[in-house]
Amino acid sequence: MNNENEKKEIKKPSDPKLERILGFITLDVIALICFGFGGANGLNFLRVIGFSVALFLLPYFRYHFAGVKKSKLPILPLVALFFLGISYFWMTYYTGAIVYGILFNLIVSLGFIAMFCLGSSLRELSDLKKEYIALAILGALALLVLVTGFYSLIRYGFFYAAINNGKVYYFDGVVFPIASEGKLLDGFMFREVNIAVAKAPAFILACSGVGLFAMDYKKRTWRLPVLIGFTAIGLLDLIFTPYRLGLILLLVVYVVMGIHQLIQIRLSGEENRATRDKIAKIVFFVLLGLAGVVILVLFVDTMLGASSFLRKIPLFYAGDKPKTFGVAIDKIENAIEATFFTVRGETRQGFNFLTTLFGANAVDASGTRLMVYNTHIFEFDILYQNGLVGFAGLMFLIFFGFYYGHRFLINEDGGPKCQRMAFMGILLGIFVYFSFNNDEIPLLHAYGLDEFFSYHSSLLVPLSRSSFFLLAALLLGYIYEPKEKAEPSKKEEACVNE
């Protein structure tokens, strides 16, 4: 029995009114999450609400995976997402209320699972136009960028990062470079944060512009000016700063997505299907191999300790002084060491099985919080906060996204081609941006941390607890189509309803 016949065995709910209600409630939740409504506490409320809505959408979620072999059910991505929220680091971080740490972990895990399920369920809401999903995501991001962008221009002026390069100001006797900070709407108040975090929403919004590669410019459609408008809001915010690293990483996203689209165009047609699949497999396994080698080298070098071989390479170190890459290696290996071993000062006291699996201990024997290993590479920040289990889950989700993202783009299901390209641009943008530009300690001034909707117990603001990861989980669920398609389209439609 083929998948379509098996799928008929599970009856799909057919209540248009209910679909519209659930669809628009879901879009409201998604928009509020993308906007970061209510700050850290607001996101916790939205996680709970999202999980509640996902329960109502379970029939659509089951229908989406009906007729799929048990080995292809979404168990692995759901398990990986669950362990992204389970962190021994965060359990010990709340030293005065360990129960709160456990509860917070569960809320975060359920939030990831809820967003993934919502993404998959939205594919099966027949009465909800797929364009509305894109409008909810991009509209919320655009509103956030406009609010923070206008406020930044009022406070700093145009091109402040270039004009004030090298200039500083003093706050509580501490020096702060003007060019390296920006404004962030946190709950219902503006904060001064590291520019990498301040410009992340603008960068992600600008990444949606890759959908223009798949636009049919011969047809008059409202999608063209709308997508150009959203992209321009994000791009102009980066330019008016200007944020050079953000613009460089944005170019990387556009080049990668442009090459993918060019290959699909040049090798279109059934006769070139084998060639396309071969190229995709080669790229996938090359990336997988490179990632495996890099991770293995860093792990082994950390285990060697004083006998480190990376510190003998002139490209990374000049004697005992680390160069640019050496500084990054030191931070990463310090984080790995804190995960695998019990560390007191600069001394290892033995392998720690618990922290290896579920993340470093955030406090020492005296109850004092340890330093945060801000590696600026989100994969290794996840490692020391969530341990090997969470890190392995993250690596799985990254390559899961690459594999199913490619399938999502070459198949016709899931909405107009330009929207699918925009979604994949956002996913790739989140990965690229935070792989090179993450900051776990972005808050510059320790004031107003106890505000209800902008509450922070310290200056630590982890990416894994942010709205960006929730958005990534949603899009991973949306692109996930484990069923074997009959055939990829012989001629993909550009940007029309399918």
Side-chain angles (χ1 to χ4, degrees), residues 145-186:
V145 173
L146 283 173
V147 171
T148 55
F150 276 122
Y151 185 72
S152 294
L153 291 177
I154 293 171
R155 295 300 302 270
Y156 297 117
F158 286 90
F159 311 113
Y160 73 89
I163 295 172
N164 297 302
N165 188 29
K167 296 181 180 180
V168 301
Y169 69 93
Y170 291 85
F171 186 90
D172 284 345
V174 181
V175 178
F176 294 93
I178 299 175
S180 62
E181 76 172 36
K183 300 295 184 182
L184 176 70
L185 182 61
D186 182 26

Side-chain angles (χ1 to χ4, degrees), residues 184-431:
L184 176 70
L185 182 61
D186 182 26
F188 296 100
M189 65 183 296
F190 288 99
R191 294 189 186 277
E192 294 77 19
V193 298
N194 186 293
I195 194 171
V197 173
K199 298 305 172 186
F203 176 88
I204 293 171
L205 180 62
C207 287
S208 66
V210 299
L212 296 171
F213 293 153
M215 191 73 70
D216 186 351
Y217 295 96
K218 296 179 180 180
K219 296 183 179 180
R220 295 182 179 180
T221 172
W222 58 269
R223 300 182 189 92
L224 177 60
V226 169
L227 186 55
I228 290 176
F230 283 139
T231 304
I233 291 172
L235 182 59
L236 290 175
D237 189 57
L238 295 175
I239 293 173
F240 286 158
T241 302
Y243 187 40
R244 294 183 181 86
L245 179 56
L247 292 170
I248 292 172
L249 295 177
L250 184 64
L251 179 62
V252 171
V253 173
Y254 273 73
V255 168
V256 171
M257 294 299 294
I259 291 175
H260 186 280
Q261 178 67 0
L262 183 62
I263 291 174
Q264 297 306 311
I265 293 174
R266 294 294 297 272
L267 297 178
S268 61
E270 184 63 25
E271 66 277 7
N272 293 315
R273 179 180 178 182
T275 304
R276 294 198 306 269
D277 290 344
K278 184 176 180 180
I279 292 174
K281 289 179 181 178
I282 291 173
V283 172
F284 180 84
F285 285 109
V286 166
L287 292 175
L288 184 62
L290 287 175
V293 169
V294 170
I295 292 170
L296 180 62
V297 167
L298 289 170
F299 279 15
V300 170
D301 194 65
T302 302
M303 300 301 171
L304 293 176
S307 303
S308 164
F309 57 87
L310 290 180
R311 285 166 178 76
K312 299 177 183 178
I313 300 177
L315 177 63
F316 302 144
Y317 293 86
D320 294 332
K321 294 183 179 180
K323 297 181 180 179
T324 301
F325 289 107
V327 172
I329 291 172
D330 282 350
K331 290 181 178 179
I332 293 171
E333 293 194 355
N334 286 336
I336 296 173
E337 185 178 58
T339 305
F340 288 177
F341 302 97
T342 299
V343 180
R344 293 291 179 266
E346 298 182 357
T347 305
R348 294 181 182 177
Q349 295 189 345
F351 178 78
N352 191 318
F353 184 74
L354 178 61
T355 62
T356 297
L357 289 181
F358 299 108
N361 194 331
V363 299
D364 60 17
S366 65
T368 303
R369 285 179 179 172
L370 301 178
M371 68 175 292
V372 175
Y373 300 94
N374 194 18
T375 67
H376 299 290
I377 301 172
F378 85 93
E379 292 90 345
F380 292 103
D381 290 329
I382 292 293
L383 173 64
Y384 82 80
Q385 291 177 21
N386 295 71
L388 273 182
V389 174
F391 181 74
L394 177 66
M395 290 296 103
F396 168 80
L397 289 172
I398 288 173
F399 286 96
F400 168 92
F402 287 158
Y403 176 76
Y404 285 102
H406 168 70
R407 288 185 50 165
F408 179 67
L409 290 177
I410 65 175
N411 291 318
E412 295 182 357
D413 194 18
K417 180 63 183 295
C418 65
Q419 177 177 311
R420 286 179 277 142
M421 286 282 289
F423 282 174
M424 280 309 302
I426 291 174
L427 260 180
L428 180 62
I430 291 174
F431 168 72

Side-chain angles (χ1 to χ4, degrees), residues 72 81 137 269 275 279 352 466 492:
K72 292 187 177 181
L81 287 168
I137 294 173
T275 304
I279 292 174
N352 191 318
S466 72
E492 293 184 335

